């Protein structure tokens, strides 16, 4: 709606992860480097953690777009109840997942991995939202990685999740699992300069040929969102809609404050519910 008014060719602050809009700020650049390092160096386990909305899924999508053609990827965001992992993993690779026993399922999966290896292909399993995994399921994942030997690496596993995953893997009863993690990184929130750069970068990718947010507006956005990319997108997208409706040529602090006030008083999911009312008051 507001894109033509501001000279944009596409929506700059969509919530759907889009690798085209990745802003290679310090934390995201390092996180992707660790992801890529893990894949290239055949790490058994790679772990990426970060707050909700920090950009983990966008990095995973970017990784998928960069993987060589000889890599077979299975993507999981649900692993069911403990004891069901193998079925979900087989389904992620479009393999038959019904069998009479866990032994039969394991053999089917191992045969699949061996066949991929013999064809010169590498197999990567990516588990998103991994903070939801039960300890027993994580142990199942560790046991699955036992298919690897010093002679043949059949399976690489990437875990992506919220800070709870980092805490879980750091607990004493997960020592065996943690020792198999070769590459890991925790995404932190963006600082002030990165928030400014993030907003300007997304606008440039969307076709902007001039600055559309004042520095003061960016400062307020940083303060209100605490540097969380997803919240920045929500706030900026709504602010541009407000600016369009007000015939504003540039997004000012007054517009940002109007959005914050309206979200606090009238929004279904007000920003203040996750940030604190003092930040928008």
């Amino acid at each position: 709606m507001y894109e033509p008014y501001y000279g944009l060719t596409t929506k700059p602050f969509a919530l759907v992860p889009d690798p085209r809009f990745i802003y290679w700020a310090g934390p995201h650049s390092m996180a992707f480097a660790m992801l890529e390092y893990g894949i290239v160096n055949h790490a058994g386990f790679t772990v990426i953690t970060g707050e909700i909305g920090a950009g983990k899924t966008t990095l995973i999508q970017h990784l998928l777009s960069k993987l060589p053609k000889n890599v077979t990827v299975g993507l999981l965001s649900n692993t069911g109840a403990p004891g069901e992992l193998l079925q979900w993993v087989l389904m992620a690779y479009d393999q038959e997942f019904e069998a009479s026993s866990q032994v039969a399922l394991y053999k089917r999966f191992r045969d699949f991995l061996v066949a991929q290896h013999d064809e010169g292909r590498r197999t990567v399993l990516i588990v998103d939202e991994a903070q939801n995994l039960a300890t027993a399921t994580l142990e199942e994942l560790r046991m699955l990685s036992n298919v690897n030997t010093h002679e043949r690496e059949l399976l690489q596993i990437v875990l992506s999740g919220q800070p709870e995953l980092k805490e879980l893997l750091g607990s004493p009863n997960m020592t065996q699992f943690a020792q198999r993690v070769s590459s890991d990184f925790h995404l932190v929130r963006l600082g002030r300069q990165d928030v400014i750069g993030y907003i300007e970068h997304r606008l440039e990718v969307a076709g902007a040929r001039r600055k559309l947010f004042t520095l003061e507006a960016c400062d307020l956005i940083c303060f209100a969102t605490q540097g969380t990319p997803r919240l920045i997108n929500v706030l900026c997208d709504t602010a541009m809609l407000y600016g369009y409706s007000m015939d504003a040529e540039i997004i000012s602090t007054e517009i940002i404050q109007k959005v914050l006030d309206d979200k606090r008083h009238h929004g279904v999911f007000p920003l203040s519910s996750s940030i604190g009312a003092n930040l928008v008051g």
Side-chain angles (χ1 to χ4, degrees):
M1 180 181 291
Y2 59 73
E3 293 92 330
Y5 180 78
Y6 287 110
L8 305 175
T9 58
T10 189
K11 195 172 183 179
F13 299 106
L15 293 181
V16 178
D18 187 340
R20 293 179 304 160
F21 286 92
I22 292 179
Y23 173 61
W24 294 112
H28 291 82
S29 179
M30 284 301 301
F32 186 75
M34 295 305 290
L35 273 172
E36 200 168 36
Y37 176 84
I39 297 298
V40 170
N41 288 277
H42 300 266
F45 281 93
T46 299
V47 178
I48 299 295
T49 57
E51 298 288 345
I52 297 172
K56 301 181 297 296
T57 301
T58 302
L59 288 177
I60 293 295
Q61 292 296 324
H62 186 61
L63 176 69
L64 292 174
S65 72
K66 296 294 184 181
L67 288 176
K69 293 183 179 180
N70 69 330
V71 176
T72 300
V73 179
L75 183 59
L76 281 181
S77 57
N78 189 349
T79 57
E84 298 178 354
L85 177 66
L86 265 173
Q87 287 98 319
W88 286 92
V89 170
L90 284 164
M91 185 170 63
Y93 291 107
D94 294 323
Q95 300 297 302
E96 177 59 49
F97 56 89
E98 293 182 0
S100 57
S101 69
Q102 287 292 306
V103 174
L105 288 171
Y106 180 80
K107 183 180 185 303
R108 184 173 299 162
F109 183 52
R110 188 179 183 284
D111 289 346
F112 165 75
L113 294 176
V114 170
Q116 291 290 303
H117 182 273
D118 291 346
E119 292 172 11
R121 302 188 61 82
R122 295 164 57 192
T123 306
V124 176
L125 176 65
I126 299 176
V127 184
D128 202 5
E129 301 297 339
Q131 76 280 350
N132 296 323
L133 299 180
T135 302
T137 304
L138 284 170
E139 180 60 14
E140 288 181 70
L141 273 176
R142 186 182 72 82
M143 295 300 290
L144 274 187
S145 71
N146 286 340
V147 297
N148 295 326
T149 68
H150 69 281
E151 297 176 344
R152 293 191 305 185
E153 180 154 39
L154 302 178
L155 178 65
Q156 291 179 258
I157 300 174
V158 177
L159 302 182
S160 172
Q162 295 169 26
E164 293 86 348
L165 175 62
K166 181 181 179 183
E167 295 173 8
L168 178 59
L169 295 181
S171 61
N173 61 329
M174 295 302 297
T175 300
Q176 281 188 299
F177 191 106
Q179 288 177 348
R180 298 198 182 186
V181 176
S182 305
S183 181
D184 66 291
F185 194 85
H186 180 74
L187 272 173
V188 296
R189 295 184 177 97
L190 302 178
R192 176 182 178 273
Q193 288 300 320
D194 281 333
V195 169
I196 295 170
Y198 176 88
I199 293 171
E200 292 180 347
H201 170 73
R202 293 189 73 101
L203 287 167
E204 288 173 5
V205 173
R209 297 189 176 183
R210 63 183 178 89
K211 291 191 179 298
L212 296 175
F213 284 69
T214 67
L215 286 178
E216 294 78 11
C218 292
D219 283 342
L220 182 53
I221 292 166
C222 179
F223 183 60
T225 64
Q226 297 295 284
T228 302
R230 187 179 298 164
L231 292 180
I232 294 171
N233 286 0
V234 171
L235 185 49
C236 288
D237 182 58
T238 309
M240 296 196 79
L241 180 60
Y242 274 47
Y244 165 73
S245 68
M246 298 162 63
D247 294 324
E249 293 187 1
I250 196 165
I251 307 302
S252 63
T253 54
E254 289 77 17
I255 293 175
I256 300 299
Q257 189 62 57
K258 172 65 174 170
V259 173
L260 293 170
D261 290 342
D262 285 354
K263 282 190 174 293
R264 182 176 63 180
H265 295 297
H266 309 296
V268 177
F269 302 107
L271 288 172
S272 57
S273 65
S274 59
I275 301 169
N278 62 305
L279 295 180
V280 293

